[in-house]
Amino acid sequence: MSSFQKEHSEFIGPIGEYVKRVSPFTEADPHAIFLTMLAIFGCHIGRGAKFVIGATDHYPILYVLIIGESSRSRKGTTWGVANLPFIMMFPDWYESNFASGLSSGEGLIERLKNVNPLLVFESEFGSALKSISRDGNKLAQVLRDIWDCPPHVSIMNREKNSISAADPTLVMISHVTKDELMKLFKASDISGGTGNRILYHKATRSQKLSKSPDIKQIIKRDMVQLLDDLRAAIEFGRVAGEIRFSDEADRLWDRYYQGLPDYPSSNFANLTTRSEVQVIRLSLILALTEKSLEIKTHHLGAAIDIIDKSERAVLGIYDFETGDKDADKVLAAFKNNCFVEITRTQINHEVFSKNLTTKKLDEIAKLLNSLNLIEVCHRSNLAGPNTEVWIPTLHLRKLIEK
């Protein structure tokens, strides 16, 4: 397996194959391309396929936010590369089912009354956040309601008349810089539920290309069969109906769900509280890309990997505020000590002046390990009990150094 395949093992199905083939020809972040394409694919499916949780139908609806430090992260390039195959397959669809420039809840509902499903691309998510922040603006409320997949969504307009849309299906893909997101994303958006309906990805430029080849021509020359496979998957998904777990995936889901940590209240916790639902929707989409009526273990595993990356992106946005002040102190200690491994005893003595209980240290270790920020290992000690060592991961180093 190549280093690229190891780093992007979630790239499965025809979308994953496209990303692998196109990546040598673009500076765009491969994972950002993949996540964007999954969202677009789900929009083309609409309500033709679903996964049922309790009394709620979940459709392949995603809100994706690509975050970059600047134009050098190639956020805009991501959209072009990801959307191109769909435009080539369904040019007429985009004339009616595509929009940008969200500004009000009323306007969005009016659009959905006439066009469903609707794909929205916001190249400057900050503009939408500014609209949301205005007094009386109902865009955030409508976005939350639509994401929940209700049979209809309705609000009162300024004239006190009810406006509604049946079976609203919206997929939103947005781009923003970290600074703009931090400046405009209000506490109410974070704690009120708008933020935890979004999948986050921090984009980076994958490589430097002095010359950019014509990707459309590359697709026409080398990926005709791949487009046929993708088109067939969309046609399959539009009439697939209810999708269920395979027996093996059901067991994996149970292990994953039971192992979900209960994070302390924080920006991170508030923005990731719907991770399990996001996993279901991503699994559903990944199964449909392979024309499967069952979510299999590799679909679920890939979805979990995607959510893991999304949660790490959120953690990076908010500068490692895990919500546990003691865990945050440990992260600060790693940073101050140049990421040198630290024994559990040293942490308790030097960071907490011997004031933490064994139970609390166990909780910190479990939390940081679940976020892929530390590894915990035990080393034999001839002079006494084994020594527990907390080792900062490469991921933690990269996040803090950036």
Side-chain angles (χ1 to χ4, degrees), residues 84 155 173 182 185 198 209-210 247 273 371:
L84 181 57
I155 58 172
I173 299 161
M182 294 289 290
F185 217 25
I198 295 173
L209 296 176
S210 59
D247 291 341
T273 54
L371 295 171

Side-chain angles (χ1 to χ4, degrees), residues 63 104-106 108-109 132 136-148 150 153-156 163 189 192-194 197:
Y63 295 167
S104 72
E106 295 89 340
L108 180 54
I109 289 178
I132 287 172
N137 189 285
K138 298 179 180 179
L139 179 57
Q141 173 192 335
V142 172
L143 287 174
R144 291 194 298 269
D145 291 346
I146 293 173
W147 189 91
D148 292 341
V153 61
S154 63
I155 58 172
M156 301 294 291
I163 56 174
D189 300 322
T194 304
R197 288 169 171 82

Side-chain angles (χ1 to χ4, degrees), residues 52 60 70 77 121 124 141 160 188 205 229 262 304 330 361:
V52 180
S70 66
T77 305
F121 173 58
E124 299 293 341
Q141 173 192 335
K160 305 299 181 183
S188 58
R205 182 165 61 183
D229 293 343
D262 295 321
I304 292 171
V330 173
L361 286 167

Side-chain angles (χ1 to χ4, degrees), residues 293-366:
L293 290 174
E294 286 186 328
I295 293 173
K296 300 179 180 178
T297 54
H298 68 287
H299 303 135
L300 181 54
I304 292 171
D305 286 345
I306 293 170
I307 291 300
D308 184 50
K309 289 183 174 66
S310 179
E311 290 186 349
R312 294 181 208 171
V314 172
L315 191 68
I317 293 167
Y318 288 97
D319 298 323
F320 312 100
E321 294 179 3
T322 63
D324 185 313
K325 66 182 189 310
D326 292 326
D328 293 341
K329 287 180 181 178
V330 173
L331 294 180
F334 279 122
K335 183 176 181 180
N336 294 335
N337 287 280
C338 300
F339 307 105
V340 175
E341 62 185 45
I342 309 173
T343 69
R344 177 184 175 120
T345 300
Q346 286 176 307
I347 290 169
N348 195 22
H349 286 201
E350 298 173 14
V351 180
F352 300 107
S353 302
K354 303 182 183 180
N355 288 325
L356 287 193
T357 64
T358 298
K359 180 181 179 182
K360 182 58 181 177
L361 286 167
D362 288 342
E363 290 174 354
I364 293 173
K366 182 179 180 181

Side-chain angles (χ1 to χ4, degrees), residues 91-279:
D92 294 340
W93 187 90
Y94 280 83
E95 293 182 9
S96 57
N97 295 73
F98 176 76
S100 61
L102 294 179
S103 60
S104 72
E106 295 89 340
L108 180 54
I109 289 178
E110 287 291 347
R111 185 65 185 264
L112 285 166
K113 285 170 61 176
N114 301 310
V115 176
N116 210 359
L118 183 65
L119 174 64
V120 171
F121 173 58
E122 295 292 325
S123 61
E124 299 293 341
F125 188 56
S127 297
L129 290 176
K130 289 176 183 177
S131 296
I132 287 172
S133 68
R134 298 189 186 112
D135 288 342
N137 189 285
K138 298 179 180 179
L139 179 57
Q141 173 192 335
V142 172
L143 287 174
R144 291 194 298 269
D145 291 346
I146 293 173
W147 189 91
D148 292 341
C149 302
H152 71 276
V153 61
S154 63
I155 58 172
M156 301 294 291
N157 62 16
R158 289 185 175 85
E159 290 73 35
K160 305 299 181 183
N161 297 318
S162 176
I163 56 174
S164 64
D167 295 328
T169 306
L170 170 73
V171 167
M172 180 176 67
I173 299 161
S174 307
H175 292 175
V176 73
T177 64
K178 176 182 174 180
D179 289 344
E180 196 169 27
L181 183 64
M182 294 289 290
K183 178 182 178 181
L184 297 174
F185 217 25
K186 302 174 84 174
S188 58
D189 300 322
I190 296 172
S191 61
T194 304
N196 59 38
R197 288 169 171 82
I198 295 173
L199 281 172
Y200 301 84
H201 177 70
K202 185 177 180 181
T204 56
R205 182 165 61 183
S206 63
Q207 59 186 327
K208 288 185 178 181
L209 296 176
S210 59
K211 296 179 181 179
S212 300
D214 187 334
I215 292 178
K216 186 174 184 178
Q217 292 305 315
I218 293 172
I219 294 173
K220 287 182 176 180
R221 185 187 67 221
D222 301 328
M223 304 186 200
V224 174
Q225 183 60 52
L226 192 58
L227 286 192
D228 288 343
D229 293 343
L230 190 55
R231 183 185 292 106
I234 290 173
E235 292 173 353
F236 170 87
R238 286 172 173 169
V239 295
E242 184 177 350
I243 307 297
R244 296 181 173 88
F245 284 133
S246 69
D247 291 341
E248 295 82 0
D250 190 56
R251 289 190 287 270
L252 175 60
W253 168 254
D254 186 63
R255 292 196 301 273
Y256 168 75
Y257 189 85
Q258 295 300 328
L260 287 171
D262 295 321
Y263 295 122
S265 179
S266 64
N267 286 334
F268 172 80
N270 289 333
L271 290 173
T272 59
T273 54
R274 284 184 168 82
S275 290
E276 62 270 27
V277 178
Q278 301 279 22
V279 166

Side-chain angles (χ1 to χ4, degrees), residues 9 22 57 195 254 296:
S9 58
V22 81
D57 293 340
D254 186 63
K296 300 179 180 178

